[in-house]
Amino acid sequence: MREGYEGTGPGAITPDGCAVELYSRLAVGDEPDIIEAAVPAGARILELGCGVGRMTHPLLQRGFTVTAVDESAEMLERVRGARTIRGAIEELDLSERFDVVMLASFLVHAGDVEVRRGMLRVCAAHVADGGCVLIQREGADYHSNVPRERVDPSGYTVRIAAVEPVGDGVDSVRAEYEFPDAAWTQTFLARPLTKEQFEEALAEAGLEVDRYLTEDGTWVRAVQAPRAA
């Protein structure tokens, strides 16, 4: 288990505390609609941190071609219909470019600054000219509106139970998931980023915001920044 990360509950747990069985049960939500509206039909998508394919499968059904990347072999075993690649996102080098590169699941908020920088460099290196990078950010009150919970229409409860500072601008976040027949927890490190800090991190990787896709600013379409003459 990676330092600062922990997971409990039935089944395999990945090094960052994610439970494979849990992620197989979580509802998809409106993310595929947001993605579909922001990219060309039939685009080639590089999905970084695909997990069990929770978004991969709906995107395939909508006619996209997906290359799905994750560090967990147990997660990738659940992915169907996509090309899969196992490896750390921040070290990826496929020597090819895609219409769309997607970094969801709040991965841009990695506690380790160098990991975040590596992820954004990989995004910039793998997006085709004229393509875009789709990034999912935390909401503005993600770290402050605690504790909070949401009951999904399908019958499970998601709870952000605690957020505790651990130094250097990083928080330890504890999430709890309760189903009628099982429960899981995940503890992970996350670094809050203001809009300005987020855009500075993009600029460092040679990217810039094209537009915010949702009113709350949690989904962003970024593009390659113009190169200096």
Side-chain angles (χ1 to χ4, degrees):
M1 195 64 59
R2 197 168 290 133
E3 185 176 355
Y5 294 76
E6 183 182 6
T8 67
I13 307 290
T14 66
D16 58 355
C18 295
V20 176
E21 181 61 31
L22 165 64
Y23 277 81
S24 298
R25 295 185 179 205
L26 293 180
V28 177
D30 61 357
E31 288 98 338
D33 296 331
I34 295 169
I35 296 162
E36 184 176 31
V39 304
R44 294 178 65 242
I45 298 176
L46 175 63
E47 183 185 4
L48 303 174
C50 66
V52 297
R54 191 168 59 93
M55 281 194 277
T56 315
H57 298 139
L59 292 174
L60 290 169
Q61 292 168 4
R62 293 165 191 239
F64 297 105
T65 300
V66 182
T67 296
V69 178
D70 204 275
E71 68 175 352
S72 167
E74 292 91 348
M75 289 283 195
L76 290 176
E77 286 174 0
R78 306 289 182 106
V79 177
R80 299 287 181 267
R83 169 193 179 194
T84 59
I85 296 173
R86 182 187 178 192
I89 295 170
E90 65 272 19
E91 299 172 0
L92 190 69
D93 182 6
L94 299 182
S95 300
E96 59 183 296
R97 291 176 177 261
F98 298 79
D99 304 316
V100 181
V101 180
M102 190 165 71
L103 187 68
S105 301
F106 310 138
L107 291 172
V108 73
H109 292 273
D112 187 325
V113 172
E114 289 306 315
V115 169
R116 182 192 72 208
R117 285 175 173 153
M119 288 180 175
L120 290 176
R121 281 195 299 266
V122 166
C123 289
H126 288 83
V127 67
D129 291 342
C132 66
V133 179
L134 301 184
I135 301 172
Q136 185 183 25
R137 302 170 59 226
E138 295 172 344
D141 63 350
Y142 187 90
H143 291 251
S144 57
N145 179 22
V146 180
R148 66 181 182 275
E149 70 177 35
R150 175 181 64 85
V151 179
D152 190 83
S154 61
Y156 63 85
T157 299
V158 181
R159 182 180 302 109
I160 301 298
V163 173
E164 298 178 358
V166 294
D168 190 33
V170 178
D171 290 337
S172 175
V173 181
R174 177 182 170 88
E176 300 174 350
Y177 304 83
E178 295 181 359
F179 287 74
D181 62 336
W184 287 268
T185 72
Q186 182 184 5
T187 301
F188 56 94
L189 300 179
R191 180 180 295 273
L193 295 173
T194 65
K195 181 179 177 182
E196 292 73 24
Q197 289 170 331
F198 169 71
E199 293 182 0
E200 288 172 4
L202 290 184
E204 186 180 29
L207 299 169
E208 65 180 16
V209 172
D210 176 54
R211 65 182 186 271
Y212 287 87
L213 302 175
T214 52
E215 288 187 9
D216 61 5
T218 56
W219 277 93
V220 184
R221 187 182 194 271
V223 295
Q224 294 168 322
R227 295 179 177 86

